[in-house]
Amino acid sequence: MAILKAFVASLLVSLVLFQAFQLDAASVDTYPPTKIDCGKACATRCMLSKRPHLCNRACGTCCGRCNCVPPGTSGNYEACACYAEMTTRENKKKCP
């Protein structure tokens, strides 16, 4: 009986380890993350801006650091937390 319990326990441990290695292998496929086209993303983000050159410059800096730009022309900061958290020296939002 003890041998059967040990066998079942080792089988369960093996299955858990096998599953863990499969998850690690899946994450390796996505690393390094693909770089987005910041120029295109920022052009879309800034197309309605009253100061498009300033908007594109700030957006490009933020995109380069965060590798993401929120969708749409304003708001939607929840889609890119890094982009939303960047601030200027005056603690104003850096990213448009």
Side-chain angles (χ1 to χ4, degrees):
M1 190 68 168
I3 295 173
L4 182 60
K5 287 182 181 179
F7 175 74
V8 170
S10 66
L11 183 63
L12 288 174
V13 169
S14 298
L15 288 173
V16 168
L17 289 175
F18 180 73
Q19 185 68 25
F21 284 120
Q22 279 187 329
L23 291 176
D24 285 343
S27 65
V28 169
D29 291 340
T30 60
Y31 186 81
T34 57
K35 292 287 279 177
I36 67 168
D37 182 357
C38 290
K40 186 175 181 182
C42 289
T44 301
R45 181 81 174 168
C46 296
M47 70 180 165
L48 299 178
S49 175
K50 291 179 182 175
R51 299 181 67 190
H53 295 293
L54 180 64
C55 180
N56 276 309
R57 189 176 71 208
C59 178
T61 300
C62 298
C63 178
R65 291 181 188 168
C66 299
N67 195 37
C68 65
V69 174
T73 56
S74 67
N76 301 318
Y77 289 111
E78 67 279 355
C80 184
C82 168
Y83 190 94
E85 293 169 359
M86 293 179 72
T87 57
T88 64
R89 291 181 186 140
E90 294 85 31
N91 282 331
K92 296 178 183 177
K93 285 192 179 288
K94 179 178 186 74
C95 308

